[in-house]
């Protein structure tokens, strides 16, 4: 069950590049929307003024929720439909967990945050600089946000991911470290196409 203690502050985030040809092709592929969405979510997509954008908002919310659920010890696996996003995009449910969700749009991207805790996480979406590696750009963005929030020099901050043979990509979720020591402040990274995004939970407001 989702923890309710006020000091628990966790975050997951996901960005989708709406102009990415792979994403556009996926949305048009027969059966794709049905594989990702529950019947209620499909109705939300069908009723929307912009079904493609609405679908990617749902998708991003599910991936953001997935990244948080893993930190609660859950393993949703390859099953987007097991996470259901509310029609107002304000929450996501997985079994007996209910997570807060917020979705933001611009013309080029949609970004979703899932969170638990007393205050809204900080996040930023940025264009991937030319020739930059997405993972490195995401870490740089996250360290910049964290330096501002924590009031410490960005050069003292780093992101580590410890190996985890059981996880999807072989590593644990990212951790924010200062001078090499984990801060205990939860963070999340995402990159897609021309964009990178980073989010930082704010445990005490
Ligand atoms: C893990 C997953 C959510 C990552 O999403 P993605 O769209 O592939 O990639 P994103 O760019 O958004 O996110 C990648 C970042 O997420 C973070 N990440 C990776 N695995 C993670 C996990 N299990 N938990 C939290 N964060 C994770 C990493 O920091 C990674 O960036 P990095 O490689 O630069 O360190 C996605 O690959 C996935 O869904 N995997 C299969 C599991 C599944 O089917 N989930 C269904 C969701 S309902």
């Amino acid at each position: 069950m989702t923890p309710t203690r006020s000091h628990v502050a966790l975050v997951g985030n996901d960005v989708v590049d709406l102009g990415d040809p792979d994403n556009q092709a996926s949305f048009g592929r027969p059966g794709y929307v049905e594989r990702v969405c529950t019947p209620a979510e499909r109705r939300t997509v069908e009723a929307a003024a912009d079904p493609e954008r609405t679908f990617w908002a749902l998708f991003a919310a599910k991936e953001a929720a997935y990244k948080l659920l893993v930190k609660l010890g859950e393993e949703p696996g390859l099953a987007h439909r097991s996470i259901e996003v509310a029609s107002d995009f304000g929450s996501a449910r997985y079994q007996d967990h209910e997570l807060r969700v917020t979705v933001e749009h611009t013309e080029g991207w949609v970004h979703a945050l899932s969170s638990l805790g007393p205050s809204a996480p900080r996040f930023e979406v940025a264009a991937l600089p030319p020739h930059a590696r997405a993972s490195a750009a995401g870490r740089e963005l996250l360290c910049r946000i964290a330096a501002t929030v924590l009031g410490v020099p960005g050069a003292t901050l780093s992101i580590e991911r410890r190996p985890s043979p059981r996880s999807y990509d072989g590593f644990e979720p990212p951790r924010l470290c200062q001078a090499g020591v984990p801060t205990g402040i939860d963070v999340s990274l995402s990159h897609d196409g021309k964009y990178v995004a980073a989010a930082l939970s704010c445990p005490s407001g």
Side-chain angles (χ1 to χ4, degrees):
M1 192 157 172
T2 304
T4 52
R5 290 166 298 161
S6 62
H7 65 271
V8 173
L10 296 173
V11 64
N13 84 328
D14 195 69
V15 65
V16 174
D17 180 348
L18 296 169
D20 187 294
D22 289 343
N23 292 339
Q24 291 171 341
S26 293
F27 179 72
R29 194 174 305 138
Y32 189 73
V33 172
E34 289 74 9
R35 199 165 72 240
V36 171
C37 294
T38 66
E41 291 167 342
R42 286 204 320 255
R43 287 194 289 278
T44 302
V45 172
E46 283 157 16
D50 185 341
E52 184 166 351
R53 177 180 286 273
T54 302
F55 169 77
W56 288 116
L58 287 167
F59 184 94
K62 287 166 185 271
E63 296 260 327
Y66 173 87
K67 290 179 188 174
L68 192 158
L69 288 163
V70 166
K71 299 175 204 178
L72 293 172
E74 297 293 349
E75 294 184 16
L78 279 162
H80 285 86
R81 273 183 302 181
S82 67
I83 298 172
E84 185 161 66
V85 181
S87 58
D88 65 357
F89 290 85
S91 61
R93 174 165 285 282
Y94 173 76
Q95 296 181 357
D96 54 4
H97 298 286
E98 183 155 340
L99 312 178
R100 185 166 61 225
V101 167
T102 51
V103 175
E104 299 233 355
H105 299 257
T106 66
E107 196 184 328
W109 51 257
V110 55
H111 177 267
L113 271 181
S114 69
S115 61
L116 283 177
S119 14
R122 292 279 296 267
F123 82 94
E124 212 174 303
V125 180
L128 179 65
H131 312 300
R133 282 183 48 244
S135 279
R139 283 156 175 69
E140 208 169 294
L141 179 62
L142 181 51
C143 288
R144 185 159 56 71
I145 301 169
T148 305
V149 171
L150 302 176
V152 301
T156 65
L157 299 172
S158 59
I159 311 299
E160 71 160 26
R161 293 189 65 199
R162 295 184 298 186
S164 168
R166 285 178 58 239
S167 84
Y168 173 73
D169 68 355
F171 293 92
E172 289 182 356
R175 300 200 299 180
L176 175 68
C177 299
Q178 186 178 14
V181 180
T183 60
I185 296 172
D186 195 38
V187 295
S188 182
L189 291 165
S190 179
H191 28 79
D192 189 42
K194 301 186 297 296
Y195 301 103
V196 293
L200 176 99
S201 64
C202 297
S204 54

